[in-house]
Amino acid sequence: RLFHNRNAAFSRTREKLLAFYPEDVRRKKIAARAAIMAQAGQYNLLRSLRRGETATCMLAAARFSEQAISMIFLLNRRYMPFYKWAHRGVGELPVLGRETADCVTRLAGLDWTLGPRLEDKAGGIVETLCEAVAERLRAEGLSDAPGAWLLEHGPSVQSRITTPELLRLPVMLE
């Protein structure tokens, strides 16, 4: 009987997790994604372009892209698939899916060796998506931070978490 009760409890827990993350966990993940998108795309990508650091540009763009795709899966309340299917999958999502897939495709097609000459183009691609994400965060009541600087949206999203253990974690940590 004890075994049956444990199995039933495990089954109920599993069903809840398959439905999607608990809301506070989702918010924590969204807060971290916003902060890392800002760090990698809005800040470090542009700095590395100005310095002509090709490899760093590519790494920053890749990190931004992965975090952006993950953010959109979270906003759509869907689990992100394995990375090799994530780009195709994000394009099929109703909330900012097509915009995110287009952003990542455009970043992937840039010639990073152009360095500072690429700053406006890469910055524009990143900022367009960040503006859309910030707008969506406000529309869903997840953030009240102004503007598109996602580093400010991370703490705003995190402040809406009610689970004390999650609320105490650093914003970039999930």
Side-chain angles (χ1 to χ4, degrees):
R1 183 167 173 94
L2 179 61
F3 180 73
H4 177 19
N5 288 343
R6 283 187 183 165
N7 262 353
F10 176 75
S11 183
R12 284 190 301 276
T13 301
R14 185 173 185 273
E15 287 173 20
K16 286 180 186 176
L17 290 175
L18 286 175
F20 199 61
Y21 297 113
E23 184 58 18
D24 273 359
V25 172
R26 182 178 92 100
R27 288 179 184 178
K28 182 65 189 103
K29 288 178 172 291
I30 288 171
R33 297 305 178 276
I36 298 169
M37 285 173 69
Q39 180 191 54
Q42 292 178 296
Y43 183 73
N44 285 325
L45 176 59
L46 300 179
R47 286 179 52 106
S48 58
L49 280 168
R50 286 182 203 123
R51 292 190 306 259
E53 295 178 2
T54 305
T56 304
C57 294
M58 181 201 64
L59 291 169
R63 185 161 173 84
F64 170 81
S65 296
E66 185 174 38
Q67 296 298 305
I69 289 171
S70 179
M71 169 72 85
I72 301 313
F73 272 96
L74 289 164
L75 290 175
N76 281 276
R77 289 180 168 79
R78 301 269 177 84
Y79 292 112
M80 188 172 97
F82 192 57
Y83 76 89
K84 67 181 183 178
W85 298 300
H87 180 258
R88 180 179 295 173
V90 78
E92 298 170 2
L93 296 175
V95 176
L96 298 176
R98 183 76 269 158
E99 297 88 338
T100 303
D102 290 344
C103 169
V104 171
T105 298
R106 291 174 64 205
L107 286 174
L110 295 177
D111 179 358
W112 299 110
T113 62
L114 295 175
R117 292 179 289 167
L118 197 58
E119 189 177 339
D120 288 342
K121 186 167 192 161
I125 293 168
V126 166
E127 279 307 309
T128 297
L129 183 60
C130 290
E131 288 168 5
V133 167
E135 185 177 310
R136 185 66 190 198
L137 293 173
R138 284 189 293 271
E140 288 191 23
L142 292 168
S143 175
D144 57 8
W149 177 230
L150 292 182
L151 196 59
E152 293 179 357
H153 287 274
S156 184
V157 172
Q158 186 152 324
S159 72
R160 288 157 171 78
I161 293 173
T162 59
T163 306
E165 296 82 7
L166 292 175
L167 188 58
R168 283 193 296 265
L169 293 173
V171 172
M172 287 186 164
L173 187 68
E174 67 167 274

